[in-house]
Amino acid sequence: MLGFLCLILVLTPFSRGAPQAVVPATEDYSGMYSFLREGEFIQITIEEKGKVSGFVSRFGDSETDRGAFLDQFFKSGKFDTSSLSFTTESVHGSWFTFDGVFERGPGKKPEDEAYYVLRGTLTRFAIDAEKKTSSQARRVEFKSFPRDAAP
């Protein structure tokens, strides 16, 4: 009995401390997302300290690369809370910038399509034969691909 009382007295100061804050789990937005056309996609990896890496895989649509599959790696990228921005490398005189946010989509679980949706503004830049740069911006919505179910 005396040992039990000693144990209570020893542990009592620890139970009176400030309640421990429950840290919510952060969302894991890394993964594959749809792009502009069927068969095209974006691979996004959220790294430490807001760094982002990834690439856009798309079909070429200029006279010289029409139908060819092109990978445009991120030249720069930034992530903060749910906001994402990136700029791709130029391939055949064309590159993209994106600025938007991750949101929960209609998918019920990560294994569903569109569990996350990436909404924002995608701007495509192109350099023509006369070295003039043009740009075209549009609002887009990219849906997450289904993730593999945990074993």
Side-chain angles (χ1 to χ4, degrees), residues 51-117:
K51 186 172 167 51
V52 176
S53 62
F55 58 92
V56 172
S57 282
R58 66 179 186 89
F59 295 109
D61 53 9
S62 70
E63 290 179 25
T64 59
D65 61 17
R66 191 169 319 280
F69 213 64
L70 307 175
D71 288 333
Q72 293 183 259
F73 288 88
F74 292 2
K75 182 177 181 178
S76 63
K78 182 180 174 187
F79 172 76
D80 184 21
T81 311
S82 64
S83 298
L84 175 74
S85 61
F86 65 79
T87 300
T88 68
E89 296 283 351
S90 177
V91 173
H92 302 169
S94 178
W95 70 97
F96 295 92
T97 63
F98 177 83
D99 191 20
V101 295
F102 289 101
E103 298 175 358
R104 276 284 284 113
K108 303 294 183 214
K109 54 189 184 288
E111 296 80 22
D112 294 339
E113 181 180 14
Y115 183 72
Y116 294 118
V117 175

Side-chain angles (χ1 to χ4, degrees), residues 13-62:
F14 296 108
S15 65
R16 290 187 184 158
Q20 297 293 319
V22 176
V23 178
T26 58
E27 299 286 345
D28 181 12
Y29 298 115
S30 295
M32 289 176 60
Y33 291 78
S34 60
F35 195 53
L36 299 175
R37 297 189 294 175
E38 183 72 29
E40 299 179 330
F41 65 92
I42 305 172
Q43 173 65 50
I44 299 170
T45 304
I46 309 294
E47 300 174 4
E48 291 182 7
K49 299 180 182 176
K51 186 172 167 51
V52 176
S53 62
F55 58 92
V56 172
S57 282
R58 66 179 186 89
F59 295 109
D61 53 9
S62 70

